[in-house]
Amino acid sequence: MEVGSIEREIYVDAPPETVFEVLSTPEHIREWWGGGETDLTPTPGSVAEISWGRGTADEHIGPLTVVEADPPRLFSFRWTYDEGAEAATATNSLLVTFELVPSDAGTLLRLTETGFREKGWEAAVLEAAYDDHVTGWDLYVPAIAAYVARLVATP
């Protein structure tokens, strides 16, 4: 199995300013990212948590660090690093980058997630994590476009 970066691209029928806000603010993130709760501030260097299922048997909580926030064209963060790590780096975390490109009246949204090999995981852990993230982005990238469509359709 080849494990590298994950890349997804989708057209979103809204301007980049709207898409950027949806990608980078807690009240919108929970709507497209499977109910993920976060206290994220879209400012480079800010550290937050993102959690799913808090207080349940399926609880998952992880740290997240904003790397770049350049509205309305780019938003990136590092995640999937150990909670005790002093900082998210290229060798202890994954990097998610959302690039927003104006296209007609909407936005071409490009997602890239990298850093799987650099984490130093054993092969089985690496493959499982990669598969999990592929499945997740296959679900959540279209959810971004669907949520934005509902958002802009609401008067």
Side-chain angles (χ1 to χ4, degrees):
M1 166 187 213
E2 179 59 30
V3 177
S5 64
I6 298 171
E7 298 175 3
R8 299 291 178 268
E9 187 173 282
I10 194 166
Y11 177 80
V12 182
D13 195 12
E17 294 80 7
T18 301
V19 178
F20 185 89
E21 182 178 336
V22 164
L23 293 172
S24 63
T25 56
E27 61 271 18
H28 294 300
I29 290 170
R30 79 175 60 91
E31 298 298 324
W32 63 264
W33 205 355
E37 295 289 333
T38 184
D39 55 350
L40 174 81
T41 302
T43 305
S46 68
V47 178
E49 277 188 347
I50 186 154
S51 66
W52 293 270
R54 194 179 289 268
T56 70
D58 294 331
E59 177 179 81
H60 177 75
I61 301 171
L64 180 149
T65 301
V66 176
V67 174
E68 195 167 351
D70 183 11
R73 64 169 209 87
L74 188 70
F75 181 65
S76 66
F77 60 85
R78 288 198 170 277
W79 73 324
T80 314
Y81 56 95
D82 294 335
E83 193 171 334
E86 283 191 31
T89 68
T91 59
N92 74 357
S93 64
L94 302 178
L95 176 65
V96 174
T97 302
F98 292 102
E99 181 183 0
L100 292 77
V101 179
S103 178
D104 298 321
T107 303
L108 185 60
L109 173 62
R110 294 184 183 127
L111 166 126
T112 306
E113 185 174 27
T114 59
F116 290 93
R117 286 192 195 95
E118 292 78 1
K119 287 276 292 171
W121 285 321
E122 293 180 11
V125 173
L126 172 63
E127 289 179 13
Y130 183 79
D131 285 347
D132 183 50
H133 287 237
V134 164
T135 300
W137 292 123
D138 284 347
L139 176 67
Y140 298 126
V141 170
I144 295 165
Y147 173 67
V148 170
R150 289 191 312 274
L151 188 67
V152 298
T154 305

